[in-house]
Amino acid sequence: MEKLIITAAISGAEVTKEHNPAVPYTVEECVREAGSAIRAGASIIHLHVRKDDGTPTQDKDRFKTVMDAIHAQYPDVIIQPSTGGAVGMTNDERLQPTELNPEMATLDCGTLNFGGDEIFENTENTIKYFGEKMIERGIKPELEVFDKSMIDMALRLGEKGFIKSPMHFDFVMGVNGGISGTLRDFIFMRGSIPADATYTVAGIGRFEFPLAAAAIIDGGHVRVGFEDNTMISRGVVAESNGQLVAKVVRLANEFGRKIATPAEAREILGLTKK
Ligand code: KMH
Ligand code: ZN
């Protein structure tokens, strides 16, 4: 079976130090958390950045500072900035990190309820606009799909030339407003993507490790990290993103799945190091 790509979503935009004091805000904290994940086995860092007070921002300069600081210590790692940002941001605000020409970036494939009164808005035209920008800038999108309908949207826009194949999906499962994190729905999602596509799965909260195990067995890839889940086990706050990644590595070892280095992850995903 193909080696396992582990993505660490170290920061997110919604989770705070009240959830887990190790959630990174400052540049130094981002380097510390990325480093813990990379040393444990992550080959991709999915990145959101914050101001020092924790406010989410898509500021290009802040992304550049954090990405440069991580790459200064871990030059090989793949850094995948978010273009989702935080609920309520404008499209152009969200797209700023793509101006840095990263190898990858996320592309969110639909609108969904995002807790309380929040709506994470991604209209069809927004998705087309983001897809075009990524093609123009040579960026491989990680297609964030929070529901099966978003896979269908990606496939439709792929046929129209807004997203290239082979596609790489991230099944984000268990968000309040998206598809559930059950095994039944995981099988539905993974059975709904093209044969030449790759996928990773991001289980939210308590779904993180059961879905990681399912993807390990199935030959898919895994995303973990504070963005999705801050607990190492029921009622126990994780010490670091690295501790979450290490748990995935242990599960992979049990099932005989080897862990991909960043160079191997690039090969699997068809990326060229920039
Ligand atoms: N923070 C969410 C509203 C992404 O990174 O592309 C969107 C998100 C998805 O986190
Ligand atoms: Zn994200």
Side-chain angles (χ1 to χ4, degrees), residues 36 62 81 101 115 152 159 173 181 202 234 237 241 250 262 267:
S36 76
R62 183 66 165 188
N101 292 318
D152 299 331
E159 277 166 24
M173 303 186 63
R234 193 168 179 186
V237 170
N241 278 277
R250 287 200 300 278
E267 211 172 302

Side-chain angles (χ1 to χ4, degrees), residues 9 12-14 46-48 82-85 106 108 144 223 227-228:
E14 290 78 25
H46 168 67
L47 189 66
H48 290 251
S82 168
T83 69
T106 55
D108 293 273
E144 307 288 305
R223 176 175 118 171
E227 178 167 346
D228 305 327

Side-chain angles (χ1 to χ4, degrees), residues 8-11 24 33 36-37 224-227 239-246:
I10 59 169
S11 43
E33 283 308 308
S36 76
V224 291
F226 290 163
E227 178 167 346
E239 285 163 15
S240 65
N241 278 277
Q243 200 186 20
L244 299 172
V245 172

